[in-house]
Amino acid sequence: MAKLPDNSPQPKRTTGSNAPKLVLSEANFQRICQLIYQRAGIVLAPHKREMVYNRLMRRLRLLGMHDFSHYLALLQSQPASGEWQEFINALTTNLTSFFREAHHFPILAEHAAARQGSYSAWSCAASTGEEPYSIALTLAETLGMAPGKFLVYATDIDTQVLGKAQQGIYRQEALDMLSPEKLQRYFLKGKSTRQGQVCIRPELAGMVRFEQLNLLSPDWKLPEKFDAIFCRNIMIYFDKETQARILRQMERALKPGGLLFAGHSENFSQITRAFWLRGKTVYSLAKEK
């Protein structure tokens, strides 16, 4: 297998062991819940309080702050501050893996093989890149990688995970489901400090376009309509009203005859009549039924 260039790890920042204990009051927790809902549509349940504390405490330490009230005051006094993105990044949950919910990918391959022209797919919660690269690999196997054959548009609200996704570097054991031939074809093998890691080959990475996008935005500014949309395991973080609003926009973003893929615990039929369930967590436009 080809070699991935060496890239020595950067030193991590540390904080002093004598840093004062921070306290997250109920009032501050409720305000945090309101702000993340307003900015990202994420609903935080009461049992998430410890998670919120642990994640935001790191931001306060980095900023040299010792009070959540002061941190919230900073956010609210500077609505255009870059700290808002750090706030969102900290409270966004990113759980993903290659070929997660594997039954979707043969359906994608069959659908792509039957379509005419260039095939376009959108991963709307791309996280660290495992989903969009799984889509790209599936399409490459089905359609080949000639220019114009397909494009995967990959978005996320979290800029930190998008940065990792664009690097395309993963532990090799995360790809144990692939044959040695596919691993050789689509990945570069690491060496030295990158031993045990692999990187997406540039030819495949070039078929994936990453952008930051907030699904709460009234104007998604998408480059085109899509043959397939992967909206998996993200709706569970929104309330019903937000889910319905997002699905109305998804309806407009899907090409005629396109597919919408949902997560295993999500049921879009209970939210909207715009889609009909055609298979296990796979939807099509209801008007085409």
Side-chain angles (χ1 to χ4, degrees), residues 24 128 131 137 163 182 189 213 221 226 230 270:
L24 177 60
T128 46
E131 179 177 272
L137 197 153
K182 288 183 180 179
K189 189 176 182 180
L213 186 144
K221 297 181 181 178
F226 300 97
F230 281 68
Q270 296 178 351

Side-chain angles (χ1 to χ4, degrees), residues 203-234:
E203 310 92 274
L204 186 64
M207 311 296 273
V208 183
R209 173 182 167 186
F210 289 98
E211 298 282 352
Q212 196 267 350
L213 186 144
N214 186 343
L215 290 176
L216 283 195
S217 172
D219 181 9
W220 287 348
K221 297 181 181 178
L222 299 171
E224 58 182 299
K225 291 191 174 185
F226 300 97
D227 296 282
I229 298 176
F230 281 68
C231 181
R232 306 190 304 173
N233 306 301
I234 183 172

Side-chain angles (χ1 to χ4, degrees), residues 93-96 123 125-130 132 155-156 158 161-162 165 210:
T93 298
N94 297 286
L95 177 63
T96 187
S123 168
S127 187
T128 46
E130 287 89 339
T155 66
D156 203 284
D158 187 333
V161 295
L162 283 177
F210 289 98

Side-chain angles (χ1 to χ4, degrees), residues 100-175:
R100 187 182 184 190
E101 305 194 34
H103 65 281
H104 283 157
F105 295 95
I107 297 171
L108 173 67
E110 182 180 359
H111 187 253
R115 302 284 275 184
Q116 300 295 318
S118 178
Y119 194 90
S120 60
W122 176 25
S123 168
C124 70
S127 187
T128 46
E130 287 89 339
E131 179 177 272
Y133 287 131
S134 297
I135 296 169
L137 197 153
T138 300
L139 295 176
E141 286 287 287
T142 305
L143 304 173
M145 287 196 292
K149 278 292 184 180
F150 69 88
L151 172 69
V152 180
Y153 189 61
T155 66
D156 203 284
I157 193 173
D158 187 333
T159 55
Q160 288 183 340
V161 295
L162 283 177
K164 293 178 181 178
Q166 288 174 306
Q167 290 178 354
I169 299 172
Y170 303 96
R171 292 176 293 103
Q172 186 166 335
E173 62 258 33
L175 291 148

Side-chain angles (χ1 to χ4, degrees), residues 14-21 61:
T14 58
T15 55
S17 58
N18 296 323
K21 172 73 173 177
R61 297 292 193 210

